[in-house]
Amino acid sequence: MREDVDYLLVGHGLAGATLAAVLRQRGKRVLVLDPAPADTASTVAAGLLNPVAGKRLALGWRMAEFLPAAVAYYQEQEQALGQEFLRLLPIRKLFSSVLDQNDAMARSADRPWQEFVTEVSAELPPLPGVRQDFGGMRIAGGGYLRVRELLAAQTVAGLRQGWLRQETFDPTQLVIGAAGVLYRNTIAAGQVVFCEGAAARHNPWFSWLPLTPNQGEVLDVHCPGLAETEVLNKGAYVVPLGNGYFRVGATYRWPPFAAGTTAEARAELSQRLAEITDLPFTVVQQWAAVRPASRDRKPLLGTHPALPFLSICNGFGSKGVLMAPRLAQHFADVLEGTAELWSEVNIRRYSSLYTAAASAAVSSL
């Protein structure tokens, strides 16, 4: 018997799970295929929502849209799934030098900051266990999402309700027709959307995109006595998990990737934590995963240049928790034909790479 769906989604990381939820909320028939890997960039991430970040301490791109959309979506998921996933907390960015102080003070009059930065000072109020040699800044409106727990709860619901199947997508079983696609001769879909994360670099239809994955490692540590009322940031983030436990990260490693976790990353993150607190701590777990990032650090969304029934939703990198809900809403509008895709995320910006890849394929025949 043939199964008809509006959308066949490949991948149930944060991007795929969020797009699936948005499409299903709109009454669309959705089927998600996911191989259920043990550790992915989504499940390992600390899930930070940070409106002011980076070395230049800049207000994030489209923050006025991304942040409220993210908070609203995750709170909706909490109500729907009966669990708590989102914790809104101030973020305390600790300065490393007098130069950091001066740069932040100069930026503190910048109007876009004023909604989020509540305090910039060489002497912030003390926090238990926190070293503040050069002061810092306090950022409101942020916090973190328990991504692993959210995806696990969505997976349980999806398996029970039948819209999620834990299986590996086989591209050789996809037949592209004049009105849609047929997968394994049993699933007819109007659109296939690939949300595969770093695995997209092996996708036979989208491998021409400049996906530049990087490997990140994080630590879970036990540090009794360290303040749990704020997210800490100084060369590394320190996210309170409760009961004296924290997630510390993250490292960035470019290819070639190590197989699993490394002693180098453990030492690096331990040193960064020691610069934030003088309290003793114990490493209880170490995680590693590969992030899907793009060349220009903007997500990769859009429909294949020659195959209108194939699309991609990928390349969110380390900002996925912030961007995924709003971009899922926007891309759903685009797929339904009610909006034009933002140029910053549209894969058309790399059309020259597609042309070059297509020409090379013809030449090799």
Side-chain angles (χ1 to χ4, degrees), residues 17 42 133 135 158 162 183 192 267 276 338-339:
S42 293
D133 301 330
Y183 182 64
V192 180
I276 294 174
T338 63

Side-chain angles (χ1 to χ4, degrees), residues 54-57 93-108 113 120-122 133-137 233-235 275:
K55 292 181 179 179
R56 296 187 299 117
L57 297 175
K93 168 65 178 175
L94 301 170
F95 299 146
S96 299
S97 65
V98 173
L99 179 61
D100 281 353
Q101 284 182 14
N102 293 337
D103 287 345
M105 295 293 185
R107 289 291 313 278
S108 62
W113 263 23
V120 181
S121 175
D133 301 330
F134 298 97
M137 57 192 290
N233 189 331
K234 182 184 177 184
E275 294 173 2

Side-chain angles (χ1 to χ4, degrees), residues 10 33 167-175 183-184 194 204-205:
V10 181
L33 304 181
E167 62 180 80
T168 299
F169 176 80
D170 183 354
T172 66
Q173 296 297 310
L174 188 70
V175 178
Y183 182 64
R184 293 193 183 278
F194 294 98
W205 299 286

